[in-house]
Amino acid sequence: MKIQPAPILKPVLFFIIPSLKGGGAERVIISLANYFSKKDFQSVIISLNNDPPAYVIENNVKVICLTDRQKSRFTHRAYHIAETFYKLIKLLRTEKPVCTLSFITSANIWAGITCSLTHVPYIVSERTSPERSVIRFNYLHRQLAAKLYKRSAAVVVSAKGVEDCLLRNKTFKKLNNIQRITNAVTVFQPLSNQRVHDRRFILGVGRLAYVKGFDMLIEAYAKAGFNDIDLIIIGDGEERANLVCQVFNLGLREKVLMPGSKNNLQDYYSQAEMFVLPSRNEGYPNALVEAMSFGCPSIALNCDFGPAEIINDRENGILVNNEPISGLTLAMLHLVNKPALKNEIGNNARSILQTNHPDKILGEWETLIKKHAATSRFATQFANNQPAL
């Protein structure tokens, strides 16, 4: 009788995030899980809520949703907290991950508490301005977050501004484990030969939320008075109804289009006259990086944080520093009226393909995660099954 060799075990990595619906953090964490699943790891994505993923997840990546708020019978917040805690602890004990990576403050807190109790190395990542997230907590919650962040293997931020903002706050000023890893250029499908719109257009991309500032973009576009250039905003979100009313009230129904989410963003980026990022806050805007990688001339409000670390004003893009609405209007008119400058900015923007190349950025994540995964009490059980971490 021939004895079959035992299956080779792979070290497990947990990727924890509040939701998998569309957004920059979701795109990044899914790309990381996909990447590590090809690097002799078993990637497990844990979503705290049950939302359909907005981006492609590889078949060999396990996805676990802890709760379904829309279908749940939860009548008390305490019960929801208890079940989330119980399920995470159980998963950590049964799956035995060598390291956990979490994105966004709520997931960071859950990862910090449960990984501390189960002695699993964990890395947390703040993906937006801390003033909108962890710094807004009440005193006790801030103290808890600071202790958990200090115990983590690393606190990863995507922009220096996020790091500076954390360290300016007295609760977090003693953090000495912050590491900056920017966002990689998204890898898209090849461009198609079909036009996405039959007229010239300005492009905005992002979740339709107040913080993304599309109300300001629509007003700025209206003030510009373009006759032959439309505005297309790609994305969905809770502000859609308000934005539709705004467009209607401004008499722009035929010129401002909001077709929802699209799976061919690469065609929009490559065909747009320009890209505009009107965000009130960011962490490190993926959409701006994506647009620039296609050579799309880009304008961004100099918000907290990210745009000023990506754009050198008037070289590879335009930063708007004052009076956001009138500033956006003037910037759009400036690029339309100066095609040579527009082309130069677009050509220079392509350099982001080198500075933010996926191999470079994912390599930085790999170095960080492998360093701390090797210290896990579960790591030794894989030593005879695969190369050393």
Side-chain angles (χ1 to χ4, degrees):
M1 179 178 177
K2 187 176 181 179
I3 300 176
Q4 296 293 328
I8 296 176
L9 296 176
K10 291 184 176 182
V12 176
L13 292 176
F14 273 12
F15 299 87
I16 304 178
I17 193 164
S19 168
L20 290 174
K21 59 186 178 182
E26 292 81 0
R27 184 192 288 277
V28 173
I29 207 167
I30 287 172
S31 69
L32 285 169
N34 289 340
Y35 174 79
F36 279 98
S37 72
K38 300 172 184 175
K39 290 283 183 177
D40 295 319
F41 285 90
Q42 171 61 65
S43 293
V44 179
I45 297 177
I46 298 175
S47 174
L48 300 183
N49 298 293
N50 187 12
D51 298 296
Y55 308 108
V56 176
I57 299 176
E58 300 289 344
N59 291 333
N60 54 348
V61 175
K62 292 173 66 175
V63 179
I64 299 171
C65 298
L66 292 190
T67 64
D68 189 340
R69 289 187 175 183
Q70 293 181 351
K71 298 180 180 178
S72 69
R73 301 174 184 173
F74 299 156
T75 56
H76 301 288
R77 181 176 175 82
Y79 188 80
H80 169 71
I81 291 172
E83 178 149 65
T84 302
F85 175 79
Y86 169 79
K87 288 184 175 181
L88 268 179
I89 289 286
K90 183 177 180 180
L91 284 168
L92 287 163
R93 287 175 173 168
T94 57
E95 296 286 340
K96 298 179 173 60
V98 293
C99 190
T100 288
L101 170 64
S102 60
F103 274 22
I104 304 178
T105 307
S106 59
N108 295 340
I109 300 300
W110 278 116
I113 292 171
T114 54
C115 288
S116 294
L117 292 173
T118 52
H119 307 289
V120 174
Y122 65 96
I123 297 167
V124 300
S125 184
E126 281 292 329
R127 309 306 298 179
T128 189
S129 169
E131 292 179 345
R132 291 183 54 234
S133 54
V134 68
I135 289 176
R136 291 182 63 184
F137 283 3
N138 62 37
Y139 176 79
L140 291 178
H141 283 168
R142 276 202 316 276
Q143 292 296 321
L144 172 62
K147 288 182 180 180
L148 293 173
Y149 281 25
K150 189 172 183 179
R151 291 177 185 170
S152 69
V155 179
V156 178
V157 298
S158 51
K160 187 177 186 302
V162 176
E163 176 181 0
D164 293 342
C165 183
L166 269 176
L167 295 178
R168 280 197 302 268
N169 185 273
K170 63 181 181 180
T171 308
F172 298 93
K173 67 180 181 180
K174 293 184 179 180
L175 286 179
N176 59 3
N177 56 345
I178 298 177
Q179 181 161 338
R180 189 169 5 128
I181 302 178
T182 60
N183 291 348
V185 172
T186 303
V187 178
F188 288 100
Q189 294 296 317
L191 298 174
S192 72
N193 295 322
Q194 294 186 344
R195 294 290 303 173
V196 296
H197 190 58
D198 58 3
R199 284 161 49 91
R200 298 163 67 198
F201 65 94
I202 295 167
L203 180 65
V205 175
R207 192 173 76 257
L208 302 186
Y210 177 78
V211 71
K212 294 299 183 180
F214 290 120
D215 57 312
M216 294 191 292
L217 174 55
I218 292 170
E219 187 173 347
Y221 170 81
K223 289 181 180 296
F226 294 120
N227 292 320
D228 59 345
I229 305 177
D230 295 338
L231 172 62
I232 299 179
I233 300 173
I234 304 295
D236 276 310
E238 62 272 18
E239 283 293 304
R240 170 175 285 278
N242 290 334
L243 295 175
V244 168
C245 287
Q246 181 185 14
V247 169
F248 180 85
N249 292 335
L250 290 170
L252 296 173
R253 285 181 296 170
E254 303 298 322
K255 301 186 69 177
V256 177
L257 309 175
M258 290 184 287
S261 299
K262 293 290 182 180
N263 58 12
N264 62 332
L265 272 176
Q266 66 275 17
D267 294 327
Y268 285 88
Y269 287 133
S270 65
Q271 296 175 29
E273 290 292 311
M274 67 189 75
F275 170 84
V276 181
L277 183 89
S279 298
R280 292 179 166 92
N281 284 108
E282 281 287 351
Y284 191 91
N286 278 330
L288 178 60
V289 173
E290 292 168 356
M292 292 173 66
S293 72
F294 285 95
C296 184
S298 296
I299 299 167
L301 286 183
N302 190 8
C303 66
D304 296 336
F305 296 100
E309 298 178 38
I310 298 169
I311 289 179
N312 295 318
D313 192 29
R314 308 277 170 161
E315 293 181 18
N316 62 346
I318 293 183
L319 280 176
V320 174
N321 292 295
N322 300 305
E323 301 296 333
I325 294 172
S326 59
L328 288 175
T329 299
L330 291 173
M332 288 187 286
L333 287 168
H334 190 65
L335 285 188
V336 168
N337 293 328
K338 295 196 173 182
L341 175 64
K342 182 165 75 76
N343 291 337
E344 180 183 359
I345 284 175
N347 289 332
N348 291 340
R350 294 181 188 274
S351 63
I352 206 163
L353 287 167
Q354 282 72 50
T355 59
N356 292 52
H357 194 280
D359 290 347
K360 174 180 179 293
I361 304 302
L362 292 171
E364 292 176 10
W365 278 108
E366 184 174 357
T367 299
L368 175 65
I369 289 177
K370 283 187 172 182
K371 172 185 174 183
H372 297 291
T375 68
S376 169
R377 64 193 178 105
F378 299 130
T380 55
Q381 74 185 65
F382 303 102
N384 296 324
N385 294 305
Q386 69 161 54
L389 295 173

